[in-house]
Amino acid sequence: MQGQPKRKFAAEFKSRVVLEVLSGRSSVAALARKHRLKDKLIYEWREQALARLPQVFSRSNDGVAQEHRVAELERLIGQLTIENEALKKASLWLSRLSRSNDNS
C-alpha cells in the first residue's frame, strides 16, 4: 500500500504561510488545518526563513554591484559594436581601393 505522492509547494506559498505565522495573524495550527499541512512542516519553513533572513539584506549590496557590472558590460558591448561597424566599413573601403588599383 503506497501513501499519497509528496506535495510540492512554491516558494511564494511557503513565504505567505511563514509571513502569516510571523506576523501573528494566524497560528501554526490554524494554517496547518487551512492548508492541510503538518505543523512540523510549517515550523521547518519558518526556521528556514529565519535562518536565511540575514542573506536577504546582505545580497542587496551584491545586487547593486551586479547592476553596475551589467551596465559597464553593456557600455563595452555598445563601444565594441561601433568599432566593429567602423572596421567593416574600413575593410570594405580598402578592398574597393585595392581593386581599383589593380584595374589601373
Side-chain angles (χ1 to χ4, degrees):
M1 189 165 114
Q2 290 182 332
Q4 292 182 350
K6 190 173 182 178
R7 294 189 296 172
K8 294 183 182 183
F9 301 96
E12 280 184 21
F13 174 76
K14 293 178 186 180
S15 299
R16 282 196 311 269
V17 170
V18 169
L19 285 174
E20 273 193 63
V21 170
L22 292 176
S23 69
R25 286 184 288 177
S26 299
S27 68
V28 171
L31 285 170
R33 280 190 304 274
K34 178 181 175 183
H35 297 292
R36 296 181 13 220
L37 301 169
K38 294 188 182 221
D39 292 5
K40 181 181 175 184
L41 185 59
I42 295 175
Y43 285 117
E44 286 176 14
W45 291 349
R46 185 186 68 183
E47 292 308 310
Q48 289 172 2
L50 291 175
R52 294 180 182 157
L53 193 57
Q55 295 172 354
V56 171
F57 297 105
S58 67
R59 288 186 184 183
S60 64
N61 292 336
D62 293 341
V64 171
Q66 281 183 329
E67 286 177 19
H68 287 295
R69 180 71 177 143
V70 167
E72 179 184 334
L73 292 172
E74 286 175 343
R75 280 192 296 275
L76 181 60
I77 288 170
Q79 180 182 352
L80 291 173
T81 301
I82 291 169
E83 289 175 7
N84 193 23
E85 289 300 317
L87 289 171
K88 284 179 185 178
K89 289 179 182 178
S91 175
L92 182 61
W93 182 77
L94 287 173
S95 68
R96 285 181 184 162
L97 184 63
S98 174
R99 279 191 225 129
S100 66
N101 286 340
D102 288 344
N103 292 337
S104 307

